[in-house]
Amino acid sequence: MLKKLLFTFCLFYITFSYAQYNVSTYSGSGITGHMDGGKLQARFDRPVGIASDNENNLYICDFANHCIRKVDTAGTVSTIAGSPGISGFANGVGTAARFNQPGGICLDNIGNIYVTDNFNNRIRKIDTTGNVTTIVGSGAQGYVDSTGLDAVLNVPRDICIDSSYDFLYFVDRNNVVRKLELGNSRVSTFAGDGVAGYIDGSSDTARFDFPASVDIDDQGNIYVADRENHAIRKIDTAGVVSTIAGNGSPGFANGSSAIARFNRPVNTDLDEYGNIYVSDFSNRRIRKINTNNIVSTFAGDGITGLINGPADTSRIGEVFDIEVIDSNTVFFTDASNDVVRLIKQEPCSAVYDTLSERQCDSYTSPFGNFTWTSSGIYNDTTQLSNGCDSIVTIDLLIDSNTTVFIFDTTCGTYISPSGKVYSSSGLYQDTIPNVNGCDSLISIFLTINSNNNSSSSLTITACDAYVAPSNRIYNQSGTYNDTIVNSNGCDSIITINLTIDSITNGVTQIGNNLIANQNNARYQWLDCNNNFARLPNDTNQSFSSFYSGSYAVEIRNSCIDTSNCINLTIVGINEQSQEKKFSLSPNPTSGRILLSGESTLKNIQIYSLSGLKIKTILNSRNELDLSYLPEGIYFLNIEAKNHSEFKKLIISK
């Protein structure tokens, strides 16, 4: 049975060669009795149910000893609940508890153990402190779905827990699969109508005949070993019952599900791939049903006995329960031999080697399995006497006498593939001898251009940054050498004497005088109130006016920029208030701006840097989209009731 949630696994693309599965005795001396201790000295009396925890410790229902035993990963056996050889019913801690032939067992994710106490007709719990309690069952033998101690069970045989750890499923002699909700101890019938028979279909009409075990996969599908129907049944998550393998008649046959035969199967478990392992009790074998529902024999030769060794020649007594750790590690209880046994497949210690080979035309692999005529990475494998593989990886380079034509143009000199140096144009033959005797013959059609690297110089003044002829970008003043690679391999070298300019567009106001902060430039003062009209005679760094107004300066060196408008108020002249009531944000902007101010807008007039009116926006809203304008500097004349002012706007995309 699947006693714990299947682990998540990854498939790595590494190929192993496996030896044959082998059966061994994992725990128990084979002598009937009760003894704790080392795994081959310990004694059991008809071990039946088996489960494992998250650390691969094993838990055994020691049926005739009326105990629950533990086998740790070192193989040491101990008794965790029940008094050896004494049957009865009592809750309590450890040996104070009593069981009456416990049969089925499973664990939750935190280590609580759940046991079907067969002839006490109860389901018991052993918590992580070793305390035994009763979950459900009155002790009477019968069939009543109810809650807790009011439920009536009929010799419960096997049990499993779902992946959420909220529900237990169990089977008893009522020919049904029953469900126990751990949250409220409610028992209900999950599948079967209580009448012995063999019917697939919906869960309420399906019939079983002595269901001996119950198991669950990580998708929630339930698997039942239907003992007297000699079949493995499945209850899917929609509650539909179907037959996976077997047909109601006893026998022994491998093959497809339709022809496979079992003889009183009593338990199942699944591996990480979804393969089902079956305790085929009366056939004295463990069978395997793969994901295509093909049945094969996994272990046992069908003759009762206790013989370890290769799985196909091993002998088994009464195989009851199976615990699959993974597809390579399977435990089972052999009740008549009083032992716990292990079926193990160990990966071979394959012999690996790597060769680097270089051959002419072709190469035959080390073991003679292949002949390769092209370069590549190859594997050659042979089987060793122990069934494992010797795997050789060959990094192969296949050479041949090849002729290659090269057309090349270079400057000054040319170095051939073999290292020869040529300084004049012509047709040359070059040979590269390979270590394995295969030569590469190269015909070189060569044009040598004279090494007359041309040189020139430039004196450049640029604004902020300069893109050189080679497309390099310089943003600091200095002397640079710029190289342009010509198609013939000879270079043009340009010396660039570079001056990087920038502009300060600030203006200082001293009384009625405005002074541009940028020195050594060309200046043009502008009338902001007259569409940024140029003031023809005002081209000095400083500017003064006899009239009140709003003025700005356009500054040029290798760059160009315009200052903000400066308001001059000349005493004695009645001028409109120049109080700033509006602001723009963001500025610079890519196009969308927010206009904030205290007055109600009438219109906005947009001017270019040269003073050309571009557009008048009437009934403007506070949010403007000017993304249709190209990058540049603009001025906005904002008119409101009893107020107007100019704002400089920079659009940068």
Side-chain angles (χ1 to χ4, degrees):
M1 292 177 294
L2 185 65
K3 306 301 182 190
K4 59 184 178 179
L5 185 63
L6 291 174
F7 61 86
T8 303
F9 63 92
C10 297
L11 292 177
F12 294 92
Y13 290 97
I14 301 176
T15 301
F16 287 99
S17 174
Y18 287 95
Q20 187 178 21
Y21 282 94
N22 285 292
V23 179
S24 61
T25 298
Y26 184 74
S27 184
S29 65
I31 301 172
T32 302
H34 180 278
M35 181 182 292
D36 289 337
K39 64 180 181 179
L40 298 183
Q41 288 74 46
R43 295 181 182 181
F44 298 92
D45 192 353
R46 294 193 65 77
V48 288
I50 184 172
S52 63
D53 62 17
N54 293 328
E55 297 177 352
N56 293 333
N57 300 298
L58 299 179
Y59 299 83
I60 313 294
C61 287
D62 198 357
F63 186 79
N65 272 322
H66 313 289
C67 293
I68 308 301
R69 313 284 292 279
K70 176 181 178 180
V71 185
D72 66 20
T73 55
T76 302
V77 179
S78 59
T79 300
I80 62 173
S83 182
I86 301 174
S87 66
F89 170 70
N91 291 322
V93 177
T95 57
R98 296 289 184 271
F99 296 88
N100 192 351
Q101 297 183 335
I105 188 169
C106 67
L107 287 84
D108 64 19
N109 60 324
I110 61 174
N112 296 306
I113 304 170
Y114 302 90
V115 178
T116 57
D117 194 356
N118 283 13
F119 291 101
N120 279 322
N121 298 300
R122 293 176 169 96
I123 293 177
R124 316 284 291 279
K125 175 182 176 180
I126 309 170
D127 67 20
T128 55
T129 68
N131 186 44
V132 179
T133 56
T134 300
I135 301 177
V136 294
S138 65
Q141 185 173 345
Y143 182 17
V144 176
D145 285 341
S146 188
T147 302
L149 303 184
D150 293 330
V152 180
L153 314 184
N154 186 359
V155 190
R157 288 181 56 84
D158 195 32
I159 193 167
C160 68
I161 192 167
D162 76 337
S163 60
S164 68
Y165 307 105
D166 294 327
F167 301 100
L168 292 170
Y169 297 85
F170 65 94
V171 290
D172 59 14
R173 291 184 181 175
N174 289 313
N175 295 308
V176 294
V177 178
R178 303 176 78 177
K179 180 179 179 179
L180 167 58
E181 300 179 46
L182 289 173
N184 57 18
S185 298
R186 174 73 181 174
V187 176
S188 59
T189 298
F190 183 72
D193 64 1
V195 178
Y198 186 18
I199 298 175
D200 286 335
S202 63
S203 60
D204 56 345
T205 61
R207 289 185 177 176
F208 303 89
D209 191 356
F210 205 121
S213 73
V214 63
D215 193 18
I216 188 169
D217 65 19
D218 52 356
Q219 284 82 42
N221 300 298
I222 303 291
Y223 300 86
V224 178
D226 196 358
R227 193 182 83 169
E228 296 307 313
N229 279 322
H230 312 286
I232 307 302
R233 314 283 293 280
K234 176 181 178 180
I235 310 167
D236 66 19
T237 55
V240 177
V241 179
S242 60
T243 298
I244 296 176
N247 71 344
S249 299
F252 172 72
N254 290 321
S256 66
S257 60
I259 65 174
R261 297 291 182 270
F262 298 90
N263 194 347
R264 302 177 75 202
V266 295
N267 226 301
T268 64
D269 199 5
L270 289 86
D271 66 17
E272 69 271 29
Y273 303 107
N275 300 302
I276 304 170
Y277 300 79
V278 180
S279 299
D280 196 358
F281 183 83
S282 294
N283 277 322
R284 299 296 190 259
R285 292 176 170 95
I286 295 175
R287 313 285 291 282
K288 179 179 178 180
I289 308 171
N290 70 14
T291 54
N292 294 318
N293 289 349
I294 304 299
V295 179
S296 60
T297 297
F298 187 65
D301 66 358
I303 301 173
T304 301
L306 176 56
I307 297 179
N308 293 319
D312 56 350
T313 60
S314 65
R315 291 188 177 173
I316 298 170
E318 295 178 348
V319 54
F320 262 90
D321 200 359
I322 302 174
E323 177 68 0
V324 178
I325 302 300
D326 55 48
S327 58
N328 298 321
T329 307
V330 178
F331 293 95
F332 67 94
T333 53
D334 191 340
S336 59
N337 286 315
D338 296 313
V339 292
V340 177
R341 301 177 75 180
L342 168 65
I343 308 172
K344 185 72 173 176
Q345 179 181 232
E346 297 288 352
C348 280
S349 298
V351 178
Y352 294 92
D353 197 6
T354 301
L355 299 176
S356 294
E357 290 289 341
R358 188 170 186 175
Q359 295 293 327
C360 186
D361 295 328
S362 67
Y363 172 75
T364 299
S365 64
F367 303 124
N369 296 322
F370 307 99
T371 297
W372 297 298
T373 58
S374 59
S375 300
I377 305 294
Y378 300 98
N379 288 321
D380 191 26
T381 302
T382 190
Q383 193 172 72
L384 303 177
S385 59
N386 63 354
C388 301
D389 289 343
S390 176
I391 302 171
V392 179
T393 300
I394 303 103
D395 184 356
L396 179 61
L397 176 62
I398 294 292
D399 283 328
S400 60
N401 288 318
T402 58
T403 300
V404 178
F405 296 93
I406 296 177
F407 295 84
D408 210 346
T409 299
T410 189
C411 184
T413 58
Y414 173 79
I415 300 175
S416 74
S418 69
K420 296 182 177 70
V421 178
Y422 304 106
S423 58
S424 60
S425 301
L427 172 60
Y428 298 95
Q429 300 296 328
D430 196 31
T431 301
I432 302 178
N434 295 328
V435 294
N436 59 357
C438 296
D439 294 339
S440 294
L441 306 176
I442 305 173
S443 295
I444 306 170
F445 296 85
L446 182 61
T447 301
I448 298 289
N449 290 312
S450 60
N451 193 6
N452 57 345
N453 291 343
S454 61
S455 61
S456 60
S457 63
L458 296 174
T459 299
I460 300 293
T461 300
C463 182
D464 295 330
Y466 171 68
V467 180
S470 67
N471 289 322
R472 293 183 181 87
I473 298 175
Y474 303 100
N475 56 17
Q476 293 183 353
S477 299
T479 299
Y480 301 95
N481 287 324
D482 195 44
T483 301
I484 301 175
V485 179
N486 295 330
S487 59
N488 63 357
C490 299
D491 298 338
S492 294
I493 302 173
I494 304 171
T495 300
I496 304 171
N497 300 304
L498 179 62
T499 301
I500 295 295
D501 268 349
S502 61
I503 280 186
T504 301
N505 65 357
V507 175
T508 300
Q509 181 178 355
I510 302 175
N512 292 340
N513 291 322
L514 302 178
I515 303 171
N517 294 341
Q518 174 68 47
N519 297 320
N520 301 319
R522 290 178 292 164
Y523 310 94
Q524 175 61 63
W525 292 89
L526 309 172
D527 187 349
C528 296
N529 291 332
N530 188 21
N531 295 335
F532 292 86
R534 294 173 178 267
L535 300 175
N537 298 318
D538 293 300
T539 58
N540 296 319
Q541 185 173 0
S542 62
F543 168 79
S544 61
S545 176
F546 297 104
Y547 305 101
S548 298
S550 181
Y551 303 98
V553 61
E554 179 186 275
I555 308 166
R556 291 175 180 264
N557 46 25
S558 58
C559 307
I560 182 171
D561 200 358
T562 302
S563 71
N564 290 329
C565 292
I566 308 296
N567 293 320
L568 287 179
T569 302
I570 306 303
V571 177
I573 300 176
N574 184 19
E575 290 290 334
Q576 176 180 313
S577 171
Q578 298 301 313
E579 181 181 1
K580 296 183 180 180
K581 296 185 177 182
F582 292 95
S583 64
L584 301 177
S585 63
N587 191 10
T589 178
S590 62
R592 300 187 68 88
I593 59 172
L594 182 65
L595 181 63
S596 301
E598 301 175 355
S599 300
T600 302
L601 292 172
K602 292 175 62 179
N603 62 69
I604 298 175
Q605 299 173 5
I606 303 174
Y607 296 92
S608 69
L609 187 63
S610 62
L612 177 65
K613 181 190 287 186
I614 297 173
K615 187 173 183 178
T616 298
I617 303 175
L618 301 176
N619 301 318
S620 174
R621 296 185 300 173
N622 286 25
E623 186 175 349
L624 300 178
D625 185 359
L626 303 180
S627 59
Y628 55 87
L629 294 174
E631 287 188 337
I633 300 173
Y634 300 86
F635 293 89
L636 275 59
N637 184 15
I638 305 168
E639 292 190 2
K641 186 177 180 180
N642 300 323
H643 177 74
S644 68
E645 65 182 87
F646 275 91
K647 291 290 183 182
K648 177 184 178 181
L649 176 66
I650 299 174
I651 295 181
S652 175
K653 298 182 180 179

